[in-house]
Amino acid sequence: MINLAKPEIWFICGSQHLYGPGPLKQVADNAQKIAEGLAKSSRLPLKTVFKALLTTPDEIAKLCLEANSDANCAGLILWMHTFSPSKMWIRGLNVLQKPFVHLHTQFNAELPWDTIDMDFMNLNQSAHGDREAGFIHTRMRLARKVVVGHWSDPEVHDRLGAWMRAARAWHDWQGARIARFGDNMRQVAVTEGDKVSAEMTFGFATNGYGVGDLVAEIKKVSDAAAAKLVSAYEAEYSVAPELRKGGKRHDSLIDGAKIELGLRAFLEAGGFKGYTDTFEDLHGIKQLPGVASQRLMADGYGFGAEGDWKTAALVRAMKVMGEGLPGGTSFMEDYTYHLPAGGGQVLGAHMLEICPSIAKGKPTLEIHPLGIGGKEDPVRLVFDAAAGPALNASLIDLGNRFRLVVNEIKVVEHPKLPKLPVARALWECKPDHKTGCAAWILAGGAHHSGFSYSVTTEMLEDFATIAGIELALIGPDTRISSFKQDLRANEVYYHLSHGFRA
Ligand code: MN
């Protein structure tokens, strides 16, 4: 994936000096073993590094400041092997800006019934040490995940793994740059938002760039470079005969390749992680970027169409979360419904820009007219998406805060669609079509989304927790009456908790 760092997770153990140097040495050794065990787990995407055994307020504050300033630290795992009186933690936790997870584990797995004595009890006392830590986290209103279980348990690794993926995406967003070519598609509301508030809340910056700057990059692309990319297209996709060398529309494919190379050069030069464009502002570009946006997404760029910079950033974050897992992630749009009696399915697509990471089989590279935008016909990849469990996520700006709306879905097979000239996915919403769509609409979810097979609800929940934003989850257990009540309660909670700083 382009522009992706592999940060570390710091493992921090808390204790105190009540127990003397012998037990503390044992505590540090045990913590080191746990960190090493986590570092070896293939279920965990980031390396866990044992950083410190902390026993005083000064050590704790110093460590938290170090974590803040270390660009390679994506988050902290906190664990209280013994009792670590939590007033010691207030000063450090007050300044800590990195995400943390509270791992409620114990070094020893099974009780040694015949030999257990007070030394054993004192060494393995996270059962109450971690409760003392939990109190101060809650008292300080700190957002965190709590993972419970023995540190060797694969299920514990999966919970930590989901959190690490969220923490990695959060780390990736800090200082990230999203390029916006042109403004919003006129009069569309949901793609708008407060870019200042977004940078304050999320850490990524969205700034506008003249489409002329992009045109200048496209003009710089040589015929030789375009021909080389066209050869790569022919190797990777089933290219329509009219687009192949000697075909009557081969020039359109060359234009498409030049758009990709120009766009790529612009994004690389600016160190961007995502971008948005709009078909209403493409002055000087021959076609709406189709295959270009599709392939850039496949390389890890976040994308949102029609000025939708929030979805561009979200798609990037989701690609980072899902990194290395089976199944892809794409920009998506709810397009049209299949509504037989008693059922309901969503056919998702876009004018062009669906990422081939979600393709079932080899995409075809085709050219068809586009009824809007007044440009030449764009080249695009056409494919079906694979069947299987997936989800849609939408990040909206409610004026006083952001909300992340998530709907778990099931992607299903569909009949051939010989006349549909775009990539597509057919899915069923959970818990059912009527409830799922009603909840999404009540929550204000956009028609645009980040669509993913690899990202899970748990990762997005952890991500929303780290970001401190509302999550509206629509899943198998959703009921409209309680969902509406949750939205009402969240209106009050987030209004009070964010106050004027929205
Ligand atoms: Mn759209």
Side-chain angles (χ1 to χ4, degrees):
M1 186 181 305
I2 57 102
N3 234 333
L4 179 66
K6 193 159 189 185
E8 292 174 343
I9 300 295
W10 289 10
F11 190 92
I12 309 298
C13 182
S15 188
Q16 62 173 325
H17 282 281
L18 185 67
Y19 311 105
L24 279 184
K25 170 84 173 64
Q26 188 66 52
V27 165
D29 287 350
N30 291 351
Q32 174 105 38
K33 284 199 183 81
I34 294 181
E36 284 167 6
L38 297 178
K40 277 190 214 136
S41 172
S42 60
R43 293 166 183 268
L44 297 175
L46 298 179
K47 190 176 177 196
T48 304
V49 181
F50 175 66
K51 208 68 188 178
L53 169 67
L54 301 177
T55 55
T56 69
D58 286 344
E59 286 171 5
I60 293 166
K62 184 166 173 285
L63 186 283
C64 290
L65 289 171
E66 280 169 15
N68 288 349
S69 61
D70 191 325
N72 201 37
C73 172
L76 290 73
I77 299 174
L78 303 186
W79 172 55
M80 305 305 132
H81 193 339
T82 55
F83 202 80
S84 185
S86 284
K87 284 165 75 177
M88 294 199 306
W89 287 78
I90 294 173
R91 188 150 54 93
L93 292 173
N94 247 342
V95 297
L96 182 65
Q97 291 162 338
K98 295 287 169 90
F100 75 89
V101 60
H102 184 183
L103 175 60
H104 183 46
T105 191
Q106 177 172 287
F107 182 72
N108 196 72
E110 295 181 20
L111 283 180
W113 304 104
D114 295 337
T115 58
I116 186 167
D117 56 14
M118 282 316 289
D119 286 346
F120 180 95
M121 297 274 274
N122 282 333
L123 192 61
N124 290 280
Q125 56 171 303
S126 57
H128 65 282
D130 272 332
R131 281 175 165 77
E132 167 72 358
F135 167 74
I136 207 66
H137 301 159
T138 294
R139 173 66 182 82
M140 294 175 73
R141 310 296 198 273
L142 298 175
R144 79 283 188 188
K145 183 178 197 175
V146 179
V147 176
V148 180
H150 193 255
W151 52 277
S152 65
D153 179 355
E155 199 270 339
V156 166
H157 294 192
D158 286 345
R159 304 287 74 75
L160 286 174
W163 174 82
M164 280 187 193
R165 290 178 176 280
R168 188 182 198 182
W170 183 253
H171 178 267
D172 183 75
W173 260 11
Q174 306 314 303
R177 308 179 69 194
I178 305 293
R180 191 182 197 200
F181 298 113
D183 202 311
N184 196 46
M185 179 178 160
R186 68 189 66 152
Q187 298 195 42
V188 176
V190 78
T191 47
E192 292 281 16
D194 184 336
K195 296 197 276 295
V196 172
S197 184
E199 189 165 346
M200 286 163 61
T201 307
F202 300 123
F204 68 80
T206 304
N207 286 295
Y209 295 86
V211 76
D213 295 344
L214 176 56
V215 171
E217 288 294 337
I218 295 170
K219 281 187 175 152
K220 277 191 227 163
V221 176
S222 70
D223 291 343
K228 197 173 160 202
L229 183 56
V230 164
S231 298
Y233 290 168
E234 287 178 358
E236 207 168 329
Y237 314 116
S238 302
V239 179
E242 60 185 337
L243 289 176
R244 286 187 208 143
K245 204 171 282 180
K248 63 182 190 304
R249 311 198 69 181
H250 184 64
D251 285 351
S252 293
L253 189 57
I254 293 172
D255 290 339
K258 286 187 172 175
I259 292 170
E260 178 183 335
L261 290 166
L263 197 42
R264 196 178 282 277
F266 184 96
L267 296 171
E268 281 175 2
F272 295 102
K273 290 176 175 171
Y275 69 101
T276 172
D277 59 18
T278 169
F279 67 89
E280 291 188 318
D281 187 359
L282 293 172
H283 301 287
I285 303 180
K286 286 186 179 175
Q287 313 166 7
L288 177 62
V291 66
S293 291
Q294 294 179 290
R295 285 169 52 84
L296 286 163
M297 250 189 286
D299 287 343
Y301 285 100
F303 175 79
E306 291 120 31
D308 192 347
W309 52 273
K310 294 193 300 300
T311 302
L314 179 62
V315 167
R316 165 67 185 188
M318 291 170 73
K319 282 183 174 285
V320 173
M321 281 181 231
E323 216 276 326
L325 295 175
T329 295
S330 179
F331 170 69
M332 186 56 77
E333 181 170 284
D334 300 79
Y335 223 110
T336 191
Y337 287 139
H338 178 54
L339 292 176
Q345 294 173 320
V346 185
L347 183 61
H350 203 253
M351 291 184 297
L352 305 169
E353 309 95 335
I354 301 297
C355 177
S357 67
I358 67 166
K360 178 182 70 177
K362 193 177 191 179
T364 57
L365 185 50
E366 304 177 19
I367 182 164
H368 301 279
L370 189 67
I372 51 178
K375 293 284 165 185
E376 292 182 16
D377 298 348
V379 289
R380 82 288 301 273
L381 296 169
V382 179
F383 52 84
D384 294 339
L391 56 74
N392 274 312
S394 169
L395 183 61
I396 59 166
D397 184 344
L398 288 169
N400 62 346
R401 68 183 191 278
F402 294 93
R403 170 183 283 164
L404 184 63
V405 187
V406 176
N407 188 197
E408 295 178 359
I409 60 173
K410 185 172 101 176
V411 184
V412 295
E413 302 282 350
H414 55 76
K416 281 194 177 3
L417 303 163
K419 299 272 196 185
L420 190 67
V422 290
R424 58 277 179 145
L426 184 73
W427 66 80
E428 293 167 357
C429 299
K430 291 188 178 179
D432 59 76
H433 183 76
K434 289 177 179 173
T435 309
C437 291
W440 185 275
I441 286 169
L442 285 165
H447 56 285
H448 286 170
S449 60
F451 167 103
S452 182
Y453 296 98
S454 53
V455 173
T456 62
T457 297
E458 183 182 16
M459 294 176 207
L460 290 170
E461 184 175 348
D462 292 347
F463 191 70
T465 300
I466 291 170
I469 63 164
E470 180 187 3
L471 175 75
L473 171 62
I474 307 161
D477 303 324
T478 297
R479 294 291 171 268
I480 289 296
S481 55
S482 56
F483 187 77
K484 283 162 76 174
Q485 185 55 43
D486 287 345
L487 296 183
R488 278 193 292 267
N490 284 343
E491 287 282 9
V492 178
Y493 170 77
Y494 286 96
H495 187 72
L496 293 176
S497 70
H498 289 190
F500 291 114
R501 197 183 181 279

